Amino acid sequence: RRIPQIVLGSALAYAGIGHLTTNRTEFQAQVPTLLKDYADFVVLASGAVEIILGVGLIAFWKYRVQIGCLVALFFIAIFWGNISQYINKVDAFGLNSDRARFIRLLFQPLLVIWALWSTVAWRVINSKVAHRRR
């Protein structure tokens, strides 16, 4: 599971760098309307978080479960922006139709699962839930 974790970490770090540089405007289009006045800050802050989480997945194997949980929570938190992009029909990253924006929504849960699976956080969470039920 090390390779899927490294791939996810690399993708997060790469996306985070894009938040801070070349794709800043595209990411601002995904900021929910409630936060539009702070769109640049939201993009910069989320980019920094993505870089930190990405590097964490790659470099801090000992803390993979905790980082995996944080990455999953991050993906859940940013899902709001993806929903906003769909509802408000905002074109960004080539998502220029309702269908394309909707299909993207379906991939967010897969990212949450990937974060939990590749870091074995899924197994740890399940074992703790099972232990509490006893």
Side-chain angles (χ1 to χ4, degrees):
R1 294 187 189 200
R2 180 89 172 149
I3 291 173
Q5 182 178 327
I6 290 171
V7 169
L8 182 58
S10 299
L12 273 169
Y14 179 78
I17 291 167
H19 275 70
L20 306 179
T21 58
T22 57
N23 294 326
R24 203 158 153 183
T25 304
E26 293 285 318
F27 282 112
Q28 288 175 358
Q30 295 179 314
V31 174
T33 52
L34 181 65
L35 300 173
K36 280 294 182 198
D37 291 342
Y38 308 100
D40 196 45
F41 172 77
V42 170
V43 168
L44 293 174
S46 61
V49 170
E50 278 184 315
I51 292 168
I52 291 166
L53 291 172
V55 170
L57 284 172
I58 295 166
F60 298 105
W61 182 252
K62 180 179 176 182
Y63 300 102
R64 68 187 179 277
V65 171
Q66 295 89 339
I67 296 170
C69 288
L70 290 173
V71 171
L73 289 171
F74 177 78
F75 285 143
I76 291 167
I78 64 170
F79 192 47
W80 180 25
N82 300 338
I83 292 169
S84 175
Q85 182 180 7
Y86 173 71
I87 290 171
N88 295 307
K89 302 177 185 294
V90 177
D91 294 349
F93 292 109
L95 303 173
N96 55 6
S97 71
D98 286 344
R99 182 173 186 237
R101 288 184 287 269
F102 181 76
I103 290 170
R104 183 177 191 279
L105 293 177
L106 301 176
F107 283 94
Q108 202 71 14
L110 296 177
L111 289 172
V112 172
I113 291 167
W114 185 358
L116 296 174
W117 172 80
S118 70
T119 60
V120 301
W122 187 272
R123 189 180 317 157
V124 172
I125 291 167
N126 282 336
S127 69
K128 287 185 180 187
V129 169
H131 180 67
R132 287 188 179 165
R133 288 183 182 166
R134 290 184 213 164

